[in-house]
Amino acid sequence: MPAINTSASARIGDADYAGVVTKTVLDALDSLFAQDSVTVSLRPAYIALGTGTSAASIYDTALDNETHRYPLTQLTQSSGITTALVNLPASSVGFTASELGVFAQDGTLLARANVSINKTENSILNIIWVLSISQGG
């Protein structure tokens, strides 16, 4: 069985955050390489924010305390790298968030990170998630 290399990171303004890819995703990838059927969607559809403070773990299945969920503004995929973008205009609500997650359409958490975000009602916020999956040696 080949090794699977994964990484998840977020860029919010000038700050970079390391995240974790969940075990649900890793198990689905194992199934792909073993040629079993995959029963979970790995296509990102939403980015959610919350106020939870526990450290991000591969065993997470949800955010600790989700407060906002936004559909992706843009999704691109190329050579094992998926980039998910949410653009929140100045007219959107202000909030403070300490956790961020990427979710599939069915609600499966794909990746999670601990962050520090303070968006005011007058600010624009771009949240960019980069998920990288590759087969190792």
Side-chain angles (χ1 to χ4, degrees), residues 101-125:
V102 177
F103 289 84
Q105 185 70 38
D106 67 0
T108 300
L109 178 64
L110 305 175
R112 180 173 173 253
N114 298 99
V115 298
S116 178
I117 303 171
N118 186 18
K119 184 197 178 302
T120 65
E121 291 180 6
N122 299 322
S123 65
I124 295 171
L125 181 66

Side-chain angles (χ1 to χ4, degrees), residues 9-17 100 126-130:
S9 62
R11 180 148 184 91
I12 303 165
D14 293 333
D16 292 315
Y17 300 95
L100 177 82
N126 290 314
I127 301 172
I128 302 169
W129 258 102
V130 179

Side-chain angles (χ1 to χ4, degrees), residues 73-92:
T73 305
Q74 183 179 2
L75 178 68
T76 59
Q77 295 175 307
S78 178
S79 302
I81 297 174
T82 301
T83 303
L85 168 69
V86 167
N87 175 276
L88 302 176
S91 60
S92 64

Side-chain angles (χ1 to χ4, degrees), residues 39-105:
T39 59
V40 64
S41 169
L42 301 180
R43 183 178 176 84
Y46 301 97
I47 289 180
L49 300 159
T51 57
T53 56
S54 68
S57 163
I58 67 168
Y59 299 104
D60 290 335
T61 58
L63 296 183
D64 284 345
N65 186 38
E66 184 175 326
T67 56
H68 299 83
R69 186 176 287 214
Y70 302 99
L72 296 183
T73 305
Q74 183 179 2
L75 178 68
T76 59
Q77 295 175 307
S78 178
S79 302
I81 297 174
T82 301
T83 303
L85 168 69
V86 167
N87 175 276
L88 302 176
S91 60
S92 64
V93 68
F95 59 82
T96 299
S98 54
E99 61 180 337
L100 177 82
V102 177
F103 289 84
Q105 185 70 38

